[in-house]
Amino acid sequence: MRRGRGAGGGGVGERPPFVRAPAVRLLEGEETEAWSLSYSFKVTELIEGQEQNHQHWLKLSFSRRDAQPTESEKEIYNQVNVVLKDAEGILEDLQSYRGAGHEIREAIQHPADEKLQEKAWGAVVPLVGKLKTFYEFSQRLEAALRGLLGALTSTPYSPTQHLEREQALAKQFAEILHFTLRFDELKAEGENEVNNELANRMSLFYAEATPMLKTLSDATTKFVSENKNLPIENTTDCLSTMASVCRVMLETPEYRSRFTNEETVSFCLRVMVGVIILYDHVHPVGAFAKTSKIDMKGCIKVLKDQPPNSVEGLLNALRYTTKHLNDETTSKQIKSMLQ
């Protein structure tokens, strides 16, 4: 048995024979444009199920240049910013990932051909290194999300007050959701087969249809369960408020007309879907029940009003990664809209 290099160039271990293992699927996505959104939106908020008699100016700055952190935000902001700086590189690595399905199939079909075995092994090792990088980044992203949730749900302020006071952190929260949905949109179609110990560990993360989204959902659920002294409404109201803001910005011509490019629209759509999914995972009855503070019919309509090819991944995220869609409490109309 020949010796093979460890993933990412680290360590030395036995090269295992190539056998069938769970496939890893990847799909290249369209190139993204630079996006910038820095407006103040007059939004009638639905807080605690009742329409307010006044309107809030929610100054949500989602651009990379605006929403500078205040002194009280800087500690969390700087910690999260270190993670977000690496996000673009992760997406570029994912887009350039091509898999080694051909080499692996050849090695499996010709187990006695040492040259094919070596060729397959040489193709697989760097790919395992990339999977390790993606997995480790998901852990960093989880820690960043938990820090932001702690800051944006703390007492004594309401979710709306937090989003107004801590715009830089709200922007980072939105950027994490944007990255997460973008990553999972790119992950599909493609094949990589290997059965060494490291790849098996990675498969627990990467075998998921939406690995980054699952990481954030689990992190949000864990945050709520570990902070029992914090009312769950602090978290769910923060999520539902962001969903409402995104929906209103997208469905109201006055606000939509201010968007200068389609990537800004995509950004808002991903943030809206991301917070819906997180809400559905942490709220006891989820996002689809009649008592939900998220207007699911309105959100789904906004998605369906977009060009079909541009939102199918987001609709699938609602169909397959939410927790309560198939509950009896979900109306037939909502289920029908997502069929």
Side-chain angles (χ1 to χ4, degrees), residues 247 251 272 288 295-305 311-312 314-316 318-319 325 330-339:
R247 173 181 57 78
E251 71 183 6
M272 182 181 73
F288 300 96
D295 178 3
M296 285 305 305
K297 292 177 184 177
C299 291
I300 295 170
K301 184 179 183 302
V302 164
L303 286 167
K304 296 230 168 179
D305 285 344
V311 296
E312 190 60 26
L314 297 178
L315 288 168
N316 283 338
L318 291 179
R319 291 175 183 128
L325 174 59
T330 302
S331 72
K332 291 181 180 180
Q333 183 180 359
I334 288 179
K335 289 181 180 179
S336 176
M337 291 176 75
L338 284 175
Q339 284 181 351

Side-chain angles (χ1 to χ4, degrees), residues 8 14 23 57 89 91 114 141 146 152 179 199 214 228 230 273 284 286 297 324 337:
E14 296 292 335
W57 282 92
L91 291 178
E114 290 298 322
L141 203 66
R146 288 167 64 84
L152 293 172
F179 164 83
K214 185 177 188 305
K228 297 186 184 301
L230 189 70
V273 170
K297 292 177 184 177
H324 295 279
M337 291 176 75

Side-chain angles (χ1 to χ4, degrees), residues 145 173 177 216-217 220 239 274-282:
L145 179 78
F173 186 67
L177 292 169
L216 295 197
S217 298
T220 307
L239 299 172
V275 292
I276 288 171
I277 292 170
L278 296 186
Y279 182 101
D280 193 58
H281 276 263
V282 300

